[in-house]
Amino acid sequence: DTQPKGAQAALLVKMRWVSGGDDSDLLAIHVLAESSFAGVSPENLPARLGAHVERCVGDAARLLVAQERIRSGDPAVVVAALADKDDEIRRLAREQVRERYVRAAVPALLEMLRSPNEADRDGAIGALRALREPAAVPVLTEIAQFRDVDLMRRVVEAVGEIGGDDARAYLDFVADGHGDMFIQQMAQDALARLEPGRQHPDDDHLLE
């Protein structure tokens, strides 16, 4: 059977505003679209393939607009994008949280830590780690599962980066009690990097 069952269309779009001069003004989106062609007759296949590529281009254009809106919008726009139904838009919003230190996003990110969507959860961990948000520590220690080594690695890295008394207590616990020597060593290394009385970064550069 030589009839195609499915196809992928991959598209990388880069755009720079006419007034832009450096890479800070460069927008780039990578889109991968999949479609099934099972049951499509040979005579209808070209039209279906064309429609598939058009959909990929349309998705890329939509995401480029969303990326610029999130990048240039105020903190409220970034926070709203964290709840968008599109996975890529949520990822773009988390990226802006990290780059612009959008502290107004903290409540939404704390809620996202409990998401069943692994990409959302891991993205929230990364954003809260970048913000060095102390309120994230108790939630991170709650969602951590000793048997999930990959999640434990992310949690230990984030908790160690955030710091504070709660972080130190948790890292002490993991360093002494985790069954995986690699995770134990990670916790010990994180403890060694913690300085007594380590403070949250100055808030002067943070967007409220």
Side-chain angles (χ1 to χ4, degrees), residues 149 153 156-157 178-189:
V149 174
R153 177 181 62 81
V156 167
E157 287 175 343
H178 200 278
D180 188 293
M181 296 297 295
F182 175 72
I183 298 297
Q184 282 188 345
Q185 188 61 54
M186 283 188 65
Q188 292 167 9
D189 292 344

mmCIF file of all heavy atoms in Angstrom, residues 149 153 156-157 178-189:
data_model
loop_
_atom_site.group_PDB
_atom_site.id
_atom_site.type_symbol
_atom_site.label_atom_id
_atom_site.label_comp_id
_atom_site.label_asym_id
_atom_site.label_seq_id
_atom_site.Cartn_x
_atom_site.Cartn_y
_atom_site.Cartn_z
ATOM 1 N N VAL A 149 13.018 10.653 39.527
ATOM 2 C CA VAL A 149 14.357 11.233 39.616
ATOM 3 C C VAL A 149 14.463 12.516 38.796
ATOM 4 O O VAL A 149 15.088 13.491 39.217
ATOM 5 C CB VAL A 149 15.425 10.210 39.170
ATOM 6 C CG1 VAL A 149 16.809 10.849 39.120
ATOM 7 C CG2 VAL A 149 15.432 9.019 40.114
ATOM 8 N N ARG A 153 15.358 16.120 40.322
ATOM 9 C CA ARG A 153 16.491 16.925 39.861
ATOM 10 C C ARG A 153 16.070 18.373 39.635
ATOM 11 O O ARG A 153 16.756 19.311 40.064
ATOM 12 C CB ARG A 153 17.054 16.328 38.565
ATOM 13 C CG ARG A 153 18.200 17.131 37.964
ATOM 14 C CD ARG A 153 18.694 16.499 36.675
ATOM 15 N NE ARG A 153 17.667 16.456 35.652
ATOM 16 C CZ ARG A 153 17.346 17.506 34.877
ATOM 17 N NH1 ARG A 153 17.964 18.664 35.045
ATOM 18 N NH2 ARG A 153 16.413 17.382 33.958
ATOM 19 N N VAL A 156 15.284 20.059 43.103
ATOM 20 C CA VAL A 156 16.493 20.355 43.872
ATOM 21 C C VAL A 156 17.228 21.553 43.268
ATOM 22 O O VAL A 156 17.698 22.448 43.994
ATOM 23 C CB VAL A 156 17.409 19.116 43.931
ATOM 24 C CG1 VAL A 156 18.794 19.491 44.455
ATOM 25 C CG2 VAL A 156 16.787 18.049 44.822
ATOM 26 N N GLU A 157 17.336 21.592 41.947
ATOM 27 C CA GLU A 157 18.002 22.717 41.295
ATOM 28 C C GLU A 157 17.278 24.026 41.597
ATOM 29 O O GLU A 157 17.913 25.046 41.914
ATOM 30 C CB GLU A 157 18.052 22.496 39.784
ATOM 31 C CG GLU A 157 19.038 21.432 39.339
ATOM 32 C CD GLU A 157 18.960 21.175 37.847
ATOM 33 O OE1 GLU A 157 17.951 21.578 37.224
ATOM 34 O OE2 GLU A 157 19.903 20.565 37.306
ATOM 35 N N HIS A 178 17.497 10.662 50.451
ATOM 36 C CA HIS A 178 17.136 10.158 49.126
ATOM 37 C C HIS A 178 17.967 8.929 48.779
ATOM 38 O O HIS A 178 19.156 8.849 49.081
ATOM 39 C CB HIS A 178 17.331 11.236 48.061
ATOM 40 C CG HIS A 178 16.560 10.958 46.806
ATOM 41 N ND1 HIS A 178 17.012 10.105 45.823
ATOM 42 C CD2 HIS A 178 15.353 11.404 46.382
ATOM 43 C CE1 HIS A 178 16.124 10.047 44.846
ATOM 44 N NE2 HIS A 178 15.103 10.826 45.159
ATOM 45 N N GLY A 179 17.331 7.965 48.117
ATOM 46 C CA GLY A 179 18.007 6.718 47.800
ATOM 47 C C GLY A 179 18.921 6.784 46.595
ATOM 48 O O GLY A 179 19.729 5.873 46.387
ATOM 49 N N ASP A 180 18.811 7.839 45.794
ATOM 50 C CA ASP A 180 19.639 7.972 44.604
ATOM 51 C C ASP A 180 20.866 8.821 44.950
ATOM 52 O O ASP A 180 20.747 9.974 45.364
ATOM 53 C CB ASP A 180 18.828 8.622 43.481
ATOM 54 C CG ASP A 180 19.562 8.626 42.153
ATOM 55 O OD1 ASP A 180 20.577 9.333 42.056
ATOM 56 O OD2 ASP A 180 19.113 7.931 41.231
ATOM 57 N N MET A 181 22.044 8.263 44.754
ATOM 58 C CA MET A 181 23.268 8.963 45.124
ATOM 59 C C MET A 181 23.456 10.258 44.333
ATOM 60 O O MET A 181 24.002 11.240 44.833
ATOM 61 C CB MET A 181 24.473 8.044 44.918
ATOM 62 C CG MET A 181 24.475 6.823 45.813
ATOM 63 S SD MET A 181 24.571 7.267 47.572
ATOM 64 C CE MET A 181 26.194 8.031 47.640
ATOM 65 N N PHE A 182 22.980 10.251 43.072
ATOM 66 C CA PHE A 182 23.102 11.450 42.247
ATOM 67 C C PHE A 182 22.276 12.592 42.824
ATOM 68 O O PHE A 182 22.740 13.734 42.911
ATOM 69 C CB PHE A 182 22.660 11.137 40.815
ATOM 70 C CG PHE A 182 22.638 12.328 39.908
ATOM 71 C CD1 PHE A 182 23.816 12.904 39.458
ATOM 72 C CD2 PHE A 182 21.426 12.879 39.498
ATOM 73 C CE1 PHE A 182 23.795 14.014 38.632
ATOM 74 C CE2 PHE A 182 21.396 13.980 38.663
ATOM 75 C CZ PHE A 182 22.586 14.545 38.233
ATOM 76 N N ILE A 183 21.039 12.280 43.232
ATOM 77 C CA ILE A 183 20.182 13.305 43.817
ATOM 78 C C ILE A 183 20.749 13.771 45.155
ATOM 79 O O ILE A 183 20.737 14.972 45.470
ATOM 80 C CB ILE A 183 18.741 12.777 43.994
ATOM 81 C CG1 ILE A 183 18.138 12.426 42.630
ATOM 82 C CG2 ILE A 183 17.878 13.813 44.707
ATOM 83 C CD1 ILE A 183 17.990 13.591 41.686
ATOM 84 N N GLN A 184 21.255 12.837 45.957
ATOM 85 C CA GLN A 184 21.891 13.217 47.212
ATOM 86 C C GLN A 184 23.034 14.204 46.969
ATOM 87 O O GLN A 184 23.157 15.218 47.672
ATOM 88 C CB GLN A 184 22.435 11.980 47.921
ATOM 89 C CG GLN A 184 21.384 11.148 48.640
ATOM 90 C CD GLN A 184 22.033 10.050 49.485
ATOM 91 O OE1 GLN A 184 23.216 9.733 49.323
ATOM 92 N NE2 GLN A 184 21.256 9.479 50.384
ATOM 93 N N GLN A 185 23.862 13.893 45.975
ATOM 94 C CA GLN A 185 24.995 14.767 45.682
ATOM 95 C C GLN A 185 24.537 16.132 45.197
ATOM 96 O O GLN A 185 25.126 17.164 45.550
ATOM 97 C CB GLN A 185 25.898 14.112 44.634
ATOM 98 C CG GLN A 185 27.211 14.870 44.403
ATOM 99 C CD GLN A 185 28.053 14.945 45.643
ATOM 100 O OE1 GLN A 185 28.365 13.919 46.257
ATOM 101 N NE2 GLN A 185 28.435 16.152 46.048
ATOM 102 N N MET A 186 23.474 16.159 44.382
ATOM 103 C CA MET A 186 22.933 17.429 43.922
ATOM 104 C C MET A 186 22.495 18.285 45.103
ATOM 105 O O MET A 186 22.749 19.492 45.147
ATOM 106 C CB MET A 186 21.746 17.199 42.982
ATOM 107 C CG MET A 186 22.095 16.770 41.591
ATOM 108 S SD MET A 186 20.636 16.769 40.516
ATOM 109 C CE MET A 186 20.242 18.518 40.511
ATOM 110 N N ALA A 187 21.801 17.660 46.061
ATOM 111 C CA ALA A 187 21.329 18.389 47.239
ATOM 112 C C ALA A 187 22.508 18.885 48.064
ATOM 113 O O ALA A 187 22.493 20.022 48.561
ATOM 114 C CB ALA A 187 20.424 17.492 48.071
ATOM 115 N N GLN A 188 23.532 18.062 48.206
ATOM 116 C CA GLN A 188 24.713 18.480 48.961
ATOM 117 C C GLN A 188 25.413 19.653 48.285
ATOM 118 O O GLN A 188 25.847 20.613 48.944
ATOM 119 C CB GLN A 188 25.671 17.296 49.112
ATOM 120 C CG GLN A 188 25.141 16.188 50.011
ATOM 121 C CD GLN A 188 25.955 14.910 49.899
ATOM 122 O OE1 GLN A 188 27.022 14.879 49.270
ATOM 123 N NE2 GLN A 188 25.462 13.833 50.503
ATOM 124 N N ASP A 189 25.508 19.588 46.955
ATOM 125 C CA ASP A 189 26.143 20.683 46.214
ATOM 126 C C ASP A 189 25.330 21.968 46.345
ATOM 127 O O ASP A 189 25.897 23.069 46.475
ATOM 128 C CB ASP A 189 26.286 20.310 44.740
ATOM 129 C CG ASP A 189 27.296 19.191 44.511
ATOM 130 O OD1 ASP A 189 28.092 18.919 45.427
ATOM 131 O OD2 ASP A 189 27.257 18.593 43.428
#
